[in-house]
Amino acid sequence: MLASIEEEAERCHQVVEGLLDLSRNSVHQVRSTTVDLRALAERVAGGPWLSGRAPGVSMEVGGAGTTVGDETKLRQVLVNLIVNAVESCGAAGRVTVSIEASSPASVNVIVSDTGPGVDPSANGRIFDPFFTTKQHGTGLGLSISRAIARAHGGDLVLASGGGPGATFELRLPAGGHWTS
């Protein structure tokens, strides 16, 4: 119970920080360090924010790649994408995080789930601030995540969402070395 309270307090903190980031444009201020995307995805996939959300959901992280950027902000993007994917699966399902080099100059972090997918009527608005399809959502997660991706010279796109399942791609410039 205490872990759930801590998790929700952290989530509230992230929402408030996200609002402040958007209002101050600090989402665009990126510290540059080399980020191991596989290690980051594994930490997020094993993090406390997932406990109790969907205990029957299986998680797999594969691939490798690096980028240069702000690890804390990129973690925020991955937390949002992975939590959304886990929640969409319901009581059971599968979430896959794949890190793939799409070229020597770019790397993608692909988050896929086996949930129902994104309602086609939401496709054009899914990244709009305050738009949500969740009963208790704020509608900030994907808009903040996209702003962070763009501040890193990349983008966040809904690659497929018509169901079954949804796939989001975090597209980033490759940094350091890359492998697939």
Side-chain angles (χ1 to χ4, degrees):
M1 186 85 135
L2 194 54
S4 293
I5 292 169
E6 183 180 342
E7 174 187 332
E8 290 307 313
E10 175 61 26
R11 195 133 155 109
C12 288
H13 175 74
Q14 287 179 355
V15 168
V16 171
E17 285 297 314
L19 282 171
L20 292 172
D21 282 348
L22 284 176
S23 69
R24 292 186 300 231
N25 270 340
S26 65
V27 74
H28 302 289
Q29 298 169 2
V30 176
R31 291 179 297 190
S32 292
T33 61
T34 300
V35 179
D36 179 335
L37 294 169
R38 168 79 179 255
L40 181 60
E42 287 175 343
R43 283 194 308 274
V44 170
W49 34 81
L50 295 177
S51 69
R53 289 205 188 272
V57 173
S58 65
M59 179 87 56
E60 180 182 327
V61 178
T66 62
T67 192
V68 174
D70 187 321
E71 185 167 340
T72 301
K73 290 183 180 185
L74 291 172
R75 179 179 65 84
Q76 181 180 351
V77 173
L78 290 180
V79 166
N80 183 64
L81 293 175
I82 291 172
V83 167
N84 284 353
V86 167
E87 288 176 346
S88 76
C89 286
R94 181 175 189 78
V95 174
T96 305
V97 181
S98 303
I99 297 99
E100 302 175 355
S102 58
S103 77
S106 62
V107 62
N108 295 339
V109 180
I110 302 160
V111 180
S112 301
D113 65 65
T114 59
V118 177
D119 186 325
S121 66
N123 283 353
R125 301 182 55 205
I126 199 155
F127 293 104
D128 291 351
F130 305 108
F131 176 78
T132 184
T133 58
K134 295 180 180 180
Q135 185 176 8
H136 299 291
T138 62
L140 291 171
L142 288 175
S143 61
I144 291 169
S145 294
R146 179 177 257 182
I148 291 169
R150 289 179 173 173
H152 282 80
D155 205 357
L156 177 62
V157 298
L158 174 62
S160 71
T167 300
F168 285 85
E169 286 185 14
L170 172 61
R171 299 173 178 168
L172 297 165
H177 66 281
W178 60 272
T179 59
S180 57

